[in-house]
Amino acid sequence: MTELSGLQIFKYLPAAKKTEHTNCKECGCPTCMAFALKLAKHNIDIGQCKYAPEDLKRICEQNAKQPQKIIEINGIKIGGENVLYRHEKTFINKTVIAIVIDLSKPDWKETFERVKNFEITRVNEHLKIDLIITKNGNLPDCITYDALQKLPLKEIIDKEFSKTAEELITIRKKAVLEKDENYSDPVYVYFKHTDDLNLLCAKASYYICKYANMLVFEDFDENLITTLMTLRQNIFTDPQKPLQVESKIYEFNNPDKNSLIFMTTNFALTFFAVANELESLPVPSYLIVTPAEGMSVLTAWSAEKFTAKMVAKTLKKFDFANKVKNRKIIIPGLLAHMKDELQEEIKDFEIVVGTVEAFAIGDFVKNLNN
Ligand code: SF4
């Protein structure tokens, strides 16, 4: 059963049916429509309206159920999803990546060390293997396969791609759309050893998108896991919360008082694009990152999160004018229209318009020096 919109709820209420108690305010809302809108957002209880019909109460009761359970293993949460698509709300817990270590195998120690030491950093996030599952014995901070099977988790042993995919989709739809309690256990796909890592990667990628709560691998391959974690990070990033970095002054290649000074907002993707270029410049530089709620420069400007006053405030906060002798700040080319406004507010520095794209910074700097 899908969630009702405010308008759909309103159709059940006295004001829509033009019956007694229309807009009576007894629920604390000024109108039935206001109540319907609040109820759609789960900001009021259906019980507050004494005149709501039984069929609406039944729908609300059904919708109040959690579609999928959350299971916790060693602090790692599995499941808890309540939408089919990320744009409807957000996904709750990313697909857990687990590796099986079979203690009966002669090389298990070497594999265990590789799994434990595996770590990648991507868009400021440090990513490691979420869970180690042991067979034929146990190790600290791991779970045995036997113990895993006793948890309320649904296991799908991957054999044929189409069958696994269909099962994953059916289970998620039953859980989310019908709130069917028979399908409320989180689901994991178990991959047995294979020599075909390309096929494994393709299948695992699909199951991350639709709809495995956990993937369990008998194989451990650093390249495979890096690929899957990169995909997972993209799928499970909340679209309503832009990735952002800390607002501060970043230093590249040991800058001194005369080094170049660049400026951008704290939107992570912009930051990393610019930071990569500054790192590879033959000269040192500073990058002033202004707080802009993780918005890119143009979005921040149009939402008034990147204003001349805010930039001046950031410079003052870091006491930057007293730290450097260089008196030029290079702003993103996309903000060329703000040059005069910034110049008006920032008296200590000359505002220089830089490049629109980060990749052009190298050539821009070469021309600056000529
Ligand atoms: Fe409408 Fe019910 Fe609120 Fe009265 S109590 S205003 S009928 S929603």
Side-chain angles (χ1 to χ4, degrees):
M1 194 171 294
T2 46
E3 300 254 330
L4 295 182
S5 67
L7 208 58
Q8 285 167 322
I9 293 170
F10 176 70
K11 286 181 185 162
Y12 287 87
L13 298 175
K17 295 191 169 161
K18 299 196 173 25
T19 55
E20 210 186 339
H21 309 297
T22 289
N23 299 331
C24 69
K25 301 186 179 57
E26 284 180 40
C27 57
C29 299
T31 59
C32 292
M33 179 56 98
F35 175 82
L37 294 173
K38 266 193 165 185
L39 188 59
K41 287 186 178 165
H42 305 284
N43 288 338
I44 199 164
D45 192 84
I46 182 70
Q48 295 290 106
C49 173
K50 285 188 277 182
Y51 313 109
E54 284 307 312
D55 42 0
L56 178 62
K57 284 184 190 164
R58 259 197 312 278
I59 294 171
C60 290
E61 198 179 297
Q62 186 72 2
N63 282 341
K65 287 184 195 163
Q66 179 69 22
Q68 193 179 54
K69 291 172 199 154
I70 298 180
I71 306 301
E72 202 167 324
I73 307 172
N74 298 345
I76 301 290
K77 289 182 177 162
I78 307 168
E81 302 304 333
N82 47 33
V83 291
L84 288 182
Y85 305 107
R86 189 181 67 159
H87 61 257
E88 293 176 69
K89 258 186 206 162
T90 183
F91 291 145
I92 308 288
N93 291 310
K94 62 190 177 188
T95 309
V96 169
I97 293 183
I99 306 291
V100 175
I101 302 285
D102 186 342
L103 276 63
S104 69
K105 289 195 173 161
D107 62 347
W108 75 264
K109 275 189 185 155
E110 187 249 326
T111 315
F112 181 61
E113 283 306 308
R114 278 171 53 219
V115 171
K116 257 193 351 183
N117 295 331
F118 175 82
E119 182 169 5
I120 57 167
T121 301
R122 210 181 163 274
V123 199
N124 240 9
E125 224 188 318
H126 304 294
L127 304 166
K128 291 174 77 77
I129 296 298
D130 303 304
L131 189 63
I132 297 177
I133 298 164
T134 55
K135 279 189 174 176
N136 298 308
N138 201 9
L139 296 166
D141 303 323
C142 302
I143 182 170
T144 63
Y145 184 57
D146 292 341
L148 181 79
Q149 286 189 306
K150 289 192 184 107
L151 294 172
L153 290 163
K154 159 94 181 145
E155 180 186 69
I156 301 175
I157 308 264
D158 183 62
K159 285 185 188 127
E160 208 178 301
F161 167 71
S162 59
K163 278 197 184 143
T164 304
E166 196 186 324
E167 203 174 346
L168 285 167
I169 292 169
T170 305
I171 292 170
R172 178 65 66 86
K173 281 189 173 170
K174 288 269 184 197
V176 170
L177 301 180
E178 297 175 27
K179 303 255 171 94
D180 186 332
E181 284 168 9
N182 295 317
Y183 296 87
S184 64
D185 289 351
V187 190
Y188 68 88
V189 178
Y190 188 103
F191 292 100
K192 291 195 169 169
H193 167 69
T194 171
D195 290 326
D196 191 346
L197 285 185
N198 289 338
L199 180 62
L200 181 61
C201 185
K203 291 205 279 187
S205 300
Y206 187 89
Y207 304 155
I208 285 177
C209 298
K210 290 184 175 192
Y211 286 112
N213 300 107
M214 175 162 76
L215 297 177
V216 179
F217 298 92
E218 284 190 353
D219 296 291
F220 177 65
D221 180 89
E222 283 85 349
N223 294 329
L224 168 78
I225 299 298
T226 301
T227 307
L228 296 178
M229 284 185 168
T230 304
L231 170 73
R232 183 183 68 171
Q233 191 184 43
N234 285 306
I235 302 288
F236 284 84
T237 298
D238 186 342
Q240 290 161 26
K241 287 188 200 150
L243 289 169
Q244 44 187 294
V245 295
E246 191 186 346
S247 164
K248 63 176 193 177
I249 294 167
Y250 292 80
E251 300 185 355
F252 298 91
N253 307 324
N254 302 316
D256 58 25
K257 287 182 177 240
N258 299 309
S259 298
L260 293 171
I261 306 164
F262 291 83
M263 176 179 283
T264 190
T265 66
N266 67 338
F267 176 45
L269 298 186
T270 306
F271 170 81
F272 286 108
V274 176
N276 278 345
E277 295 300 323
L278 299 188
E279 242 162 33
S280 53
L281 283 181
V283 292
S285 58
Y286 293 99
L287 178 60
I288 304 164
V289 172
T290 60
E293 296 178 15
M295 292 181 197
S296 61
V297 284
L298 261 192
T299 315
W301 168 75
S302 57
E304 298 199 347
K305 300 291 177 196
F306 189 98
T307 63
K309 280 201 169 23
M310 284 174 187
V311 174
K313 209 170 141 191
T314 305
L315 291 173
K316 204 168 168 200
K317 179 181 159 196
F318 296 120
D319 192 23
F320 200 56
N322 290 325
K323 283 189 181 147
V324 290
K325 274 193 190 154
N326 180 9
R327 282 292 173 259
K328 286 183 182 171
I329 291 183
I330 303 161
I331 62 167
L334 284 169
L335 298 178
H337 57 279
M338 272 188 87
K339 182 174 186 278
D340 293 344
E341 195 189 327
L342 284 164
Q343 197 61 78
E344 186 80 8
E345 198 68 41
I346 301 161
K347 307 277 190 224
D348 293 330
F349 292 90
E350 179 192 340
I351 303 298
V352 177
V353 177
T355 62
V356 171
E357 301 288 350
F359 70 79
I361 288 176
D363 284 342
F364 174 83
V365 169
K366 256 189 234 159
N367 293 334
L368 262 187
N369 293 334
N370 288 335

